[in-house]
C-alpha cells in the first residue's frame, strides 16, 4: 500500500506526479541528489535550471547525498516556488505601468 505523506507540497505542485516521479527515481526509498535535475525535468519543467537545483541543495540539504520522500517533495516545492518568483519578477519587468497586465505596447517595447 502507498504510504501517506505528512506534509503535502503546495497546491501548485501536482501531488500525483510528484509521487510518480519519486517512485520512478528512488532506490531504497531515497533519491540521489545528483538526479534532481532529471527529477525536475520529469515534473514537466522543460528547461530546468541546474543552478537553481544546486542553490536549493546547498541551502536546504547541505552535505546530503540522498533525499527521502519528504525531503524530495520539499525540494520540488522549493524549486516550484523559485520558478514562481522568477516568473513574477519577469512579469513585473514587462508590466511597465504597474497595472497588473501586459499590453501590446508594453510587449513591443521589450
Amino acid at each position: 500500500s502507498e504510504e501517506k505523506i505528512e506534509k503535502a507540497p503546495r497546491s501548485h505542485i501536482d501531488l500525483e506526479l510528484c509521487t510518480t516521479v519519486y517512485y520512478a527515481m528512488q532506490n531504497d526509498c531515497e533519491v540521489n541528489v545528483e538526479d534532481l535535475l532529471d527529477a525536475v525535468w520529469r515534473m514537466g519543467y522543460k528547461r530546468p535550471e541546474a543552478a537553481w537545483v544546486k542553490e536549493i541543495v546547498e541551502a536546504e540539504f547541505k552535505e546530503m547525498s540522498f533525499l527521502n520522500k519528504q525531503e524530495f517533495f520539499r525540494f520540488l516545492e522549493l524549486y516550484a516556488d523559485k520558478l514562481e518568483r522568477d516568473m513574477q519578477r519577469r512579469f513585473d519587468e514587462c508590466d511597465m505601468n504597474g497595472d497588473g497586465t501586459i499590453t501590446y505596447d508594453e510587449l513591443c517595447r521589450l
Side-chain angles (χ1 to χ4, degrees):
S1 83
E2 197 166 296
E3 73 184 74
K4 296 209 178 206
I5 299 164
E6 266 71 30
K7 180 178 181 254
R10 292 179 43 169
S11 61
H12 63 273
I13 296 178
D14 182 336
L15 182 58
E16 187 174 329
L17 183 56
C18 287
T19 302
T20 300
V21 170
Y22 171 79
Y23 282 111
M25 299 192 72
Q26 64 87 25
N27 185 19
D28 291 331
C29 298
E30 295 182 316
V31 175
N32 191 317
V33 169
E34 293 180 14
D35 295 333
L36 292 176
L37 187 62
D38 184 40
V40 171
W41 182 82
R42 289 179 186 219
M43 286 295 299
Y45 299 104
K46 297 303 175 201
R47 286 183 267 163
E49 296 282 344
W52 291 2
V53 171
K54 182 179 179 183
E55 179 183 320
I56 293 167
V57 168
E58 288 176 356
E60 298 289 325
F61 306 104
K62 299 176 195 113
E63 300 178 24
M64 295 175 72
S65 299
F66 296 90
L67 303 183
N68 65 28
K69 189 174 184 180
Q70 184 177 4
E71 294 159 345
F72 179 74
F73 275 63
R74 176 73 179 140
F75 165 80
L76 293 175
E77 180 181 51
L78 292 168
Y79 189 91
D81 288 348
K82 187 159 185 64
L83 178 63
E84 188 175 313
R85 285 190 311 274
D86 185 63
M87 289 177 16
Q88 184 64 54
R89 179 189 58 79
R90 290 173 189 232
F91 180 90
D92 292 344
E93 288 173 1
C94 295
D95 181 18
M96 295 175 188
N97 65 2
D99 68 353
T101 62
I102 299 174
T103 65
Y104 177 78
D105 290 337
E106 288 170 326
L107 280 176
C108 290
R109 288 187 221 152
L110 295 178

